Amino acid sequence: MTTTRATVTPGNAKPPALTAEDLVVEFPAGRGRTVHAVSGVSLQVEAGETLGILGESGCGKSTVGRSLMQLPSPDSGTVRLGGTALTGLAPEELRRARARMQIIMQDPVSALNPRRKVKDLVWEGLSIWGSGGDARDQDTRIDTALRDVGLDPATVRERRPHELSGGQCQRVCIARALLLDPEVLICDEPVSSLDVSVQAQILNLLETATRKRGLSMVFIAHDVSVVKNISDRVLVMYLGKVCEVLPSDGMQHEAAHPYTRLLLASLPEAQRGPGGAGDPAPPAGPAAELPSPLNPPSGCRFRTRCPMATGRCSDEEPPLREIRPGHRIACHHAEPRRNHP
Ligand SMILES: Nc1ncnc2c1ncn2[C@@H]1O[C@H](COP(=O)(O)OP(=O)(O)OP(=O)(O)O)[C@@H](O)[C@H]1O
Ligand SMILES: [Mg+2]
């Protein structure tokens, strides 16, 4: 976002909306092998803040999003929603707590039951979560929820998903999630399946809705410019680990991790933000492909592609260290870059 919201200014007394510590998720892959999908990811989302999660396909973004929702719970690590620890809750308590955190998925059409009408799909959330939806004002609330996401109730409320466009289906998913009045919205590639023109509309809608409600959002995508534009802070993942966390404003110039700089270098110049292209990114290392999460490299997982790698990088895993307030990197060699106005 171009302006950081008032709710995330230093000295904000509100507790974080969502905190995850040391999440680990592994999947069995047959023949005794293990997919190390997420290996010790920690994050914090402040009240009213949007945290973007960025990284190449397969780096574990969706697995982090799902484990925040406890769908399923991580193999280890903790998740706190406001003051509530979600990990370790009994099933019924977890069900209730989950209603406070809603997820928007990549494919809106398959997220919606094809046999149900829009009006029922929008109300479905409240009835499933048992949050006490009042049947008397049901129609009014459904219509308001539809209008809030830019849909005309008279046109769409009796339609089924196949009679709507992908963008309209995503609006229905957003209406359904917002009707539950969540504290945190997790969006996993919410615009990747949509046309570019519709993408911008849905992003505007999410930005307006979260700002109006003071809602916190985790926004997952592999598109650098989308994540950079909608987020207050960006967390960059590589092969199941966090490699950098930094404010999105000025990210082009301040990103210090060689992987983040490689991602930013892939942006067309016009999208790189004020001040031009910044310093050139370091050239990519020898391996251009993401190594397998079945057998991640020792030490720093990025070292096989990193132009700065030394022997230390294969021997020692770099801790996530703060290089200036609000900016952390996991790299033995990268240093803070120059400040820009
Ligand atoms: N249920 C599963 N069983 C086995 N492996 C899985 C499962 N879910 C994810 N993985 C593996 O975990 C790793 C991380 O997957 P994940 O879907 O979280 O990545 P991603 O960053 O969201 O990728 P994309 O950008 O393509 O959506 C991948 O190697 C993936 O193949
Ligand atoms: Mg994904």
Side-chain angles (χ1 to χ4, degrees), residues 106-169:
Q106 176 171 355
D107 181 359
V109 181
S110 62
L112 299 171
N113 182 335
R115 289 190 297 275
R116 306 202 77 186
K117 293 182 174 176
V118 166
K119 61 179 184 185
D120 302 319
L121 290 164
V122 170
W123 196 250
E124 201 171 46
L126 272 182
S127 53
I128 289 175
W129 297 106
S131 306
D134 182 346
R136 283 172 306 173
D137 62 357
Q138 185 171 332
D139 283 347
T140 318
R141 292 178 68 188
I142 291 170
D143 288 357
T144 307
L146 289 171
R147 266 187 226 104
D148 282 351
V149 296
L151 291 171
D152 173 25
T155 312
V156 300
R157 69 192 325 278
E158 301 294 329
R159 290 195 188 167
R160 294 188 167 80
H162 72 272
E163 296 168 303
L164 302 177
S165 68
Q168 286 174 319
C169 284

Side-chain angles (χ1 to χ4, degrees), residues 278-315:
D279 292 343
E289 296 297 317
L290 196 67
S292 168
L294 285 169
N295 186 22
S298 63
C300 173
R301 291 190 178 178
F302 184 59
R303 69 177 167 79
T304 56
R305 293 170 69 185
C306 182
M308 297 162 85
T310 60
R312 186 181 174 200
C313 305
S314 49
D315 297 341

